[in-house]
Amino acid sequence: MSEPQSNSRLIFHLPPDAGPLDTAALLGTLQRYPQRFTTLRDLCAAASQEYGAGERYQDASTIAALTDLITIQPEGPALTALGQQVAADPDLQTDLIHFLLYTGWDEAAPAHATPLWSYRAICNLLWQQGEADVSSAWLVRETMLVREDQFAAISAYRQHPTSFSGKSVRGVLVWLEQLHPPAIVGNNFRRRSRCSLPLLLLALGWVFRDIIGETDDPDRLSSVELLLREDRRERLAQLCLLDPSNLDRLVDLLLDTYPQYLSEGTQAGTYGRFVRLRRVPRLDDPTLWDTIA
């Protein structure tokens, strides 16, 4: 994909005032009153009255665009098919949107969805620390250093450098505070001992996307065995913000809970554990939602 025009500014800021509570308010209001609102501003005003959150129009529009949970039609805002699914499960909502935020930036198109680059970069920086004080200026500094390495070759970044502040970091932290269980308590980040199984299943599909491809063909999938070698275990743990020492226990639970997706691998090796793939885990797969329900 081509670079953006040289006069385009890359934005790395994720708004902190449209976090889980505000986003849930928008989704819940649209789910309860579909086709009622003519503008996103009207929706935000109604969400504020209904839930006491969601009134930040500009911030809410940013999150809606980045996650593809809400679409703006000529007749007004509406939930996408994905938005309807996420809105229907309040208990998993924050975990599922975390997955969308973490995976929404693509190295193949680095100048697009750059706020989500920030989201992933900050999650990874925190995970690499294991435990960290999130109020420290080191997080801003390290994110900017990693950003320079990632985007130095892109002309729009070189010509229009943008600042990155503690408020930008806060746009990520508000989500990590609301995960189940939370990854941040007070001002302290700590790798989690567990995560929701749907999140781990989706993470498995994302980490192995280069092997899985885009097919759901059962004949092809029957021969796919996924090697949980060290680098892939690390990527799974980063996305889910897990302590890697708990990963095998959670994979065992995955195998028991989602036999239509995974089974124990038939291969054995010195480089890691194998699991056999039966179905591709994706957020738009009705089978996943039927299992969750």
Side-chain angles (χ1 to χ4, degrees):
M1 186 171 293
S2 61
E3 281 192 10
Q5 297 296 316
S6 60
N7 60 354
S8 299
R9 184 181 296 272
L10 300 186
I11 304 299
F12 293 88
H13 177 72
L14 196 69
D17 294 321
L21 296 180
D22 284 62
T23 303
L26 298 185
L27 298 180
T29 303
L30 267 181
Q31 183 186 43
R32 187 170 182 179
Y33 305 109
Q35 301 178 335
R36 174 172 169 177
F37 308 101
T38 56
T39 67
L40 185 58
R41 191 184 298 274
D42 292 338
L43 168 61
C44 290
S48 180
Q49 290 183 342
E50 192 81 12
Y51 294 96
E55 71 273 14
R56 303 277 186 169
Y57 166 72
Q58 293 294 342
D59 289 353
S61 64
T62 298
I63 295 295
L66 288 170
T67 57
D68 194 31
L69 297 173
I70 297 174
T71 180
I72 308 300
Q73 302 292 340
E75 59 273 18
L79 291 173
T80 63
L82 178 60
Q84 291 172 6
Q85 291 171 321
V86 171
D89 198 326
D91 292 338
L92 277 175
Q93 196 171 105
T94 303
D95 282 15
L96 297 176
I97 299 176
H98 163 74
F99 174 79
L100 294 172
L101 293 170
Y102 187 96
T103 62
W105 179 80
D106 188 350
E107 291 181 8
H112 296 267
T114 44
L116 301 189
W117 175 87
S118 300
Y119 190 94
R120 190 189 306 176
I122 290 171
C123 287
N124 290 349
L125 283 168
L126 289 170
W127 184 88
Q128 288 161 9
Q129 290 292 311
E131 295 186 30
D133 177 0
V134 299
S135 63
S136 174
W138 73 269
L139 198 48
V140 174
R141 182 179 64 253
E142 290 300 318
T143 302
M144 292 181 69
L145 288 173
V146 176
R147 186 181 70 174
E148 182 66 23
D149 289 341
Q150 182 75 59
F151 292 93
I154 297 178
S155 60
Y157 176 78
R158 296 194 306 270
Q159 295 176 25
H160 301 285
T162 56
S163 62
F164 194 80
S165 67
K167 190 173 182 180
S168 302
V169 170
R170 184 66 192 156
V172 178
L173 304 185
V174 292
W175 290 93
L176 306 190
E177 291 171 345
Q178 296 296 321
L179 294 174
H180 302 288
I184 294 175
V185 177
N187 287 322
N188 297 305
F189 169 85
R190 177 176 292 181
R191 292 176 182 173
R192 303 190 294 169
S193 61
R194 58 186 173 86
C195 69
S196 67
L197 293 182
L199 176 60
L200 183 57
L201 181 65
L202 290 166
L204 194 74
W206 183 77
V207 167
F208 286 93
R209 64 197 183 283
D210 56 329
I211 295 174
I212 295 171
E214 296 298 324
T215 184
D216 274 319
D217 181 356
D219 291 333
R220 179 186 177 278
L221 290 178
S222 65
S223 63
V224 175
E225 295 214 354
L226 308 179
L227 172 60
L228 297 180
R229 67 189 189 205
E230 193 61 33
D231 60 327
R232 289 168 178 158
R233 292 169 65 92
E234 180 173 305
R235 292 174 70 194
L236 281 170
Q238 284 181 330
L239 192 162
C240 298
L241 301 168
L242 285 170
D243 184 328
S245 65
N246 292 294
L247 192 56
D248 281 310
R249 174 178 61 85
L250 292 171
V251 170
D252 289 338
L253 290 174
L254 272 188
L255 297 174
D256 291 339
T257 307
Y258 297 103
Q260 67 272 58
Y261 281 93
L262 299 167
S263 62
E264 195 71 63
T266 59
Q267 300 184 54
T270 59
Y271 297 104
R273 179 180 184 178
F274 284 90
V275 295
R276 180 178 287 273
L277 186 69
R278 297 183 179 275
R279 187 181 183 94
V280 178
R282 289 197 295 257
L283 259 177
D284 60 356
D285 180 7
T287 298
L288 176 65
W289 294 95
D290 291 345
T291 305
I292 291 172

